[in-house]
Amino acid sequence: MNNHMVVLFTLLLNLFIAFLGIGLVIPITPTIMNELNISGAVVGYMVSAFALAQLIFSPLAGRAVDKYGRKPMIISGLFIFSISELLFGLGETVEVLFISRILGGVSAAFIMPAVTAFIADITTTQTRPKALGYMSAAISTGFIIGPGIGGFLAEISTRLPFFFAAGFGIFAMFLSLLLLKEPERQSETAHQYGEQKKGFGRILSPMYFVAFMVVLISSFGLASFESLFSLFVDRKFGFTPKDIALVISIGAIVGVIVQVGLFDRLTRWWGEIRVIRYSLLVSTLLVLILTFVTSYWSILLVTILVFVGFDLVRPAVTTYLSRIAGNEQGFVGGMNSMFTSVGNILGPIAGGLLFDINFNYPFYFATVVLAIGISLTFAWKSPEAIEEKAAV
């Protein structure tokens, strides 16, 4: 049991470090822009380069996780992550920064499906929701702490946060080499729900398709909301950077608490599909309500609840996919990461275009997109229901 906890802690630490590195960039970006005379458009392209690299490599990494093993992909991902952060710290040209962000996307593509598959292998269907809730909390915590550490270290040197992240990544790589042992593959769900399509045609399988569409829609809606939230509250309510940081940080902290304390219970009470449906429903209504509220405290409350709703959707989808994946944990993890990346790329682009027309439009658009996601969950049949129908 102790060894199991050490392994789980190591896996969560790997995710925390990867997303800590992403968060470190946030407070330092304006300074880097001024140092290298980079425009806002170029910064946007760099963010897209990260997401695009993750999109391209996620399916390949997912297959590699199943073929070559979980541990090798985690080690490789952490090494690439360290190189990425080191390059950003040393980079004096835009080209080097772009290479850094592309490598960062590759590292995320390697680490995410490998860690998800590893956790699925060392847990049972009963204990998995709690472990995946911890996994989502580790990601959120990295995002929360990253900007704070980045801002603190940047007071010493602008590039120090990236060297810190690179060193932390190497530490996690060696820790993983020492503590992680390639797990035995879970077979409890393998072929449980019948033969599925082969190759990438498996995406269209009844078991997977709706889940992947929900991943795409929820990430699209969330990315559209998050990317424009700061500009929205600045333009509409006159929020200061401190106000924005406070709202986002409190929302993220509450989200972590809910993921750790309630997610396992909610999935046992309702099942993954209902948790996703109710969370999307609450988030959709609140995104729309945000365009009507006016007081500081109402904005704070609504935003916190929106983040909590989204923070429950992601681990619920991951838990569902992991439960039905059987021997295809890597494939499913890679597809999950790929569809998330598509949403992360398209959401901010659509939101930005709409924001230039009217600052409420991105939130109206996100409401419509998320409503489509809710309707999909009503057409979503559990694998057990599919089997029962096939047997009739």
Side-chain angles (χ1 to χ4, degrees):
M1 182 64 183
N2 288 337
N3 183 60
H4 178 272
M5 293 305 296
V6 168
V7 170
L8 182 59
F9 172 79
T10 304
L11 293 171
L12 296 179
L13 179 65
N14 291 338
L15 282 180
F16 170 77
I17 289 171
F19 285 88
L20 177 77
I22 297 171
L24 284 170
V25 179
I26 295 172
I28 311 164
T29 300
T31 305
I32 300 293
M33 288 175 62
N34 293 332
E35 284 183 0
L36 302 182
N37 196 27
I38 298 173
S39 67
V42 172
V43 173
Y45 293 142
M46 281 197 291
V47 174
S48 297
F50 180 101
L52 184 61
Q54 186 177 5
L55 165 66
I56 293 170
F57 282 89
S58 285
L60 304 175
R63 295 179 66 181
V65 167
D66 286 331
K67 185 175 182 179
Y68 301 113
R70 285 59 162 135
K71 181 176 177 177
M73 296 300 291
I74 291 173
I75 301 301
S76 301
L78 288 169
F79 179 73
I80 295 171
F81 168 82
S82 297
I83 297 297
S84 166
E85 295 298 321
L86 181 63
L87 280 177
F88 208 100
L90 296 173
E92 297 293 341
T93 64
V94 173
E95 290 78 12
V96 173
L97 298 188
F98 264 95
I99 293 171
S100 165
R101 292 301 85 195
I102 291 170
L103 288 176
V106 174
S107 72
F110 278 34
I111 293 171
M112 282 297 295
V115 170
T116 304
F118 206 124
I119 289 176
D121 289 335
I122 64 172
T123 56
T124 65
T125 52
Q126 289 73 36
T127 61
R128 196 167 301 150
K130 180 178 287 188
L132 292 175
Y134 290 158
M135 172 181 156
S136 187
I139 293 171
S140 299
T141 305
F143 274 129
I144 296 168
I145 296 177
I149 294 177
F152 173 75
L153 294 175
E155 292 294 320
I156 303 171
S157 170
T158 305
R159 304 303 179 102
L160 182 58
F162 302 101
F163 299 139
F164 173 81
F168 211 176
I170 290 295
F171 167 76
M173 185 186 77
F174 282 110
L175 193 67
S176 299
L177 278 169
L178 291 172
L179 299 180
L180 296 184
K181 180 181 178 182
E182 186 66 23
E184 293 183 11
R185 305 289 174 90
Q186 283 281 12
S187 59
E188 59 182 293
T189 54
H191 308 294
Q192 183 177 346
Y193 304 112
E195 289 295 322
Q196 298 299 319
K197 297 177 183 294
K198 301 298 181 183
F200 285 102
R202 288 173 291 180
I203 294 172
L204 301 177
S205 163
M207 289 202 308
Y208 294 144
F209 180 71
V210 177
F212 288 144
M213 291 303 99
V214 169
V215 170
L216 173 62
I217 287 170
S218 61
S219 62
F220 184 99
L222 177 59
S224 177
F225 171 78
E226 284 187 329
S227 62
L228 277 304
F229 175 78
S230 297
L231 295 177
F232 174 78
V233 293
D234 170 70
R235 180 77 60 85
K236 190 169 185 178
F237 306 114
F239 271 32
T240 66
K242 183 179 178 181
D243 293 326
I244 296 169
L246 181 65
V247 170
I248 293 176
S249 296
I250 293 176
I253 291 168
V254 173
V256 168
I257 293 170
V258 171
Q259 287 166 346
V260 172
L262 289 180
F263 176 70
D264 180 45
R265 295 179 183 179
L266 291 175
T267 53
R268 281 191 277 113
W269 288 341
W270 294 334
E272 297 96 342
I273 295 176
R274 286 184 179 177
V275 169
I276 294 164
R277 181 182 302 150
Y278 298 151
S279 299
L280 279 176
L281 182 60
V282 170
S283 296
T284 303
L285 291 174
L286 291 172
V287 167
L288 181 60
I289 289 171
L290 191 63
T291 62
F292 296 100
V293 296
T294 55
S295 72
Y296 178 85
W297 292 108
S298 61
I299 297 164
L300 178 64
L301 178 61
V302 169
T303 305
I304 288 172
L305 293 176
V306 167
F307 281 121
V308 170
F310 281 120
D311 284 340
L312 288 174
V313 170
R314 287 177 289 199
V317 175
T318 303
T319 301
Y320 169 85
L321 288 171
S322 178
R323 180 166 64 85
I324 67 172
N327 296 329
E328 300 181 329
Q329 298 290 340
F331 164 77
V332 166
M335 290 297 104
N336 192 349
S337 182
M338 184 191 78
F339 282 106
T340 299
S341 299
V342 173
N344 289 343
I345 293 170
L346 298 180
I349 293 174
L353 292 172
L354 291 170
F355 186 86
D356 288 339
I357 302 171
N358 184 296
F359 51 70
N360 284 316
Y361 282 5
F363 297 89
Y364 296 151
F365 181 64
T367 300
V368 173
V369 171
L370 293 170
I372 295 172
I374 295 168
S375 65
L376 278 178
T377 66
F378 285 98
W380 194 352
K381 303 297 183 184
S382 67
E384 294 85 359
I386 294 172
E387 276 295 285
E388 288 175 6
K389 185 177 180 180
V392 175

